[in-house]
Amino acid sequence: MPRSQLISIIIPVYNEQANIAALAAEIAAVAENSRLNCEAVWTDDGSSDDSYAEITAACRKYPFMRGIRFGRNCGQTAAIAAGISDSHGELIVLLDADGQNDPADIPALLRALDRDTDIVSGWRKTRRDNAITRTLPSRIANALISGITGVRLHDYGCTLKLYRARFLKELRLYGEMHRFMPALAGALGARIKEIEVNHRPRINGDSKYGLERTFKVLLDLATVKFMGRYLSNPIYLFGGTGLALGGLAAALAAVTLYKKYHLGIFVKDQPLFAVAIFLGIVSVQVLLLGLLSEVISRTYFEINSRAPYFVRERTQEPDHEKC
């Protein structure tokens, strides 16, 4: 990696006052020992403790660090998005503030990055968490996300990851989409590599995650799948579903007519006819929803001046003066 390439380390923080000073010292030591050209952006997600005071002290001590403070708690995704927006590096490293991610792994992430890689994802192969409430739900979630999105990783939940900034700058992060960032970037064509990283036990503070996040993962996963596959052509999803329902309705109606004219069974005695009518109505509604989604999708791309594609690289920059 060229020495001049700036690395932005983004650390979202929520009520982690006891961990910030030690983590800041570790980041500074890694930056100095590995001669990294880096900046560190701490994003305080409306902490109710003295986290921001600790961030301020760290920024005074280490000039390459700076902090952002939210007016209220907005969630980890918002904190990460703010850090990304405020960063200037060509490469972005995400790091948890709880001390369980090891900053000493950052040089290994950088070494794993090559021309054919856009994201280096950390894999906590040996977890230091409760097996029932943390590790098992995480494994189930990783399997679901990998299977549905097609971007296969052992550990989506590991915050410690290295990204090429141009992929993250294209993403619009809402809700709790931070755990799906590799899949969202993969939908743009990002190439991902996974390496094992150290995972340390939490020493100070309490975990912000519980079993309830499993349900959030399932709901967010549907959004990610839609955004990655059907955002630019939602009619394929809704139209295909509508046509399938319409075809099934027609088949049931045909069965009803066959039984009436060939078997002498009156329509009123055939419940399949009511099902056919119901499916026919639903198919029309789903088709109309697909058309409305097409209009909304095109409006989205026009308003945001976004194209439904991502340019990875060019042989040379276009000369607009000759156009």
Side-chain angles (χ1 to χ4, degrees):
M1 184 193 70
R3 174 69 177 85
S4 60
Q5 201 165 28
L6 180 63
I7 304 159
S8 296
I9 303 172
I10 298 172
I11 312 104
V13 178
Y14 181 63
N15 291 344
E16 296 288 357
Q17 64 177 23
N19 294 310
I20 291 171
L23 183 59
E26 287 186 280
I27 294 172
V30 169
E32 181 178 0
N33 295 337
S34 300
R35 300 179 57 82
L36 301 181
N37 178 26
C38 66
E39 62 177 2
V41 183
W42 301 81
T43 53
D44 182 1
D45 183 23
S47 296
S48 57
D49 61 4
D50 292 328
S51 290
Y52 194 68
E54 292 292 329
I55 290 172
T56 302
C59 293
R60 289 197 190 102
K61 188 173 183 179
Y62 308 108
F64 71 94
M65 297 183 179
R66 64 181 184 276
I68 301 171
R69 187 182 192 183
F70 287 175
R72 63 177 180 84
N73 178 243
C74 298
Q76 188 173 354
T77 297
I80 289 174
I84 293 170
S85 177
D86 199 70
S87 66
H88 303 100
E90 298 169 74
L91 301 175
I92 293 177
V93 174
L94 300 184
L95 188 71
D96 268 336
D98 58 12
Q100 291 192 267
N101 291 152
D102 190 348
D105 285 321
I106 294 177
L109 296 177
L110 294 168
R111 287 192 296 271
L113 188 72
D114 54 36
R115 181 175 176 80
D116 295 324
T117 306
D118 302 302
I119 300 172
V120 182
S121 179
W123 173 19
R124 301 165 296 179
K125 189 172 183 179
T126 304
R127 293 285 297 266
R128 305 295 183 185
D129 290 320
N130 184 283
I132 302 300
T133 61
R134 296 291 302 276
T135 304
L136 180 60
S138 179
R139 288 180 178 175
I140 295 172
N142 288 325
L144 281 173
I145 298 170
S146 295
I148 292 175
T149 64
V151 179
R152 300 192 174 277
L153 292 177
H154 290 92
D155 196 354
Y156 269 91
C158 180
T159 300
L160 184 57
K161 289 177 171 61
L162 169 65
Y163 299 83
R164 293 194 187 275
R166 64 176 181 268
F167 285 95
L168 289 191
K169 298 286 186 180
E170 285 291 317
L171 300 182
R172 299 294 183 268
L173 300 174
Y174 303 99
E176 296 197 22
M177 290 293 176
H178 61 276
R179 61 174 63 89
F180 300 105
M181 287 166 57
L184 293 170
L188 297 176
R191 294 168 293 199
I192 305 173
K193 181 185 294 183
E194 194 171 29
I195 66 170
E196 292 182 29
V197 295
N198 184 31
H199 189 237
R200 307 183 292 192
R202 177 185 270 274
I203 298 175
N204 301 305
D206 300 316
S207 172
K208 311 304 186 296
Y209 300 104
L211 287 173
E212 71 279 357
R213 69 173 179 159
T214 304
F215 303 102
K216 295 179 181 179
V217 168
L218 294 175
L219 294 173
D220 288 338
L221 189 53
T223 303
V224 170
K225 181 63 176 179
F226 178 82
M227 296 291 286
R229 178 65 182 85
Y230 298 108
L231 180 61
S232 61
N233 49 13
I235 192 64
Y236 291 169
L237 174 63
F238 295 108
T241 303
L243 290 175
L245 291 174
L248 181 58
L252 294 178
V255 171
T256 301
L257 291 175
Y258 173 81
K259 288 183 177 181
K260 180 181 186 304
Y261 290 108
H262 292 273
L263 302 178
I265 302 175
F266 290 105
V267 172
K268 66 181 180 62
D269 296 324
Q270 300 186 53
L272 286 182
F273 185 64
V275 176
I277 294 175
F278 173 74
L279 291 178
I281 293 172
V282 172
S283 69
V284 172
Q285 291 178 328
V286 173
L287 283 169
L288 290 175
L289 181 60
L291 293 174
L292 288 174
S293 298
E294 279 288 319
V295 174
I296 294 171
S297 173
R298 297 178 190 211
T299 303
Y300 164 79
F301 284 113
E302 290 293 332
I303 289 178
N304 291 283
S305 300
R306 295 189 65 192
Y309 56 82
F310 177 78
V311 177
R312 175 185 295 279
E313 58 186 337
R314 302 177 186 272
T315 54
Q316 61 183 19
E317 291 300 316
D319 188 350
H320 296 289
E321 294 183 357
K322 295 181 180 180
C323 297

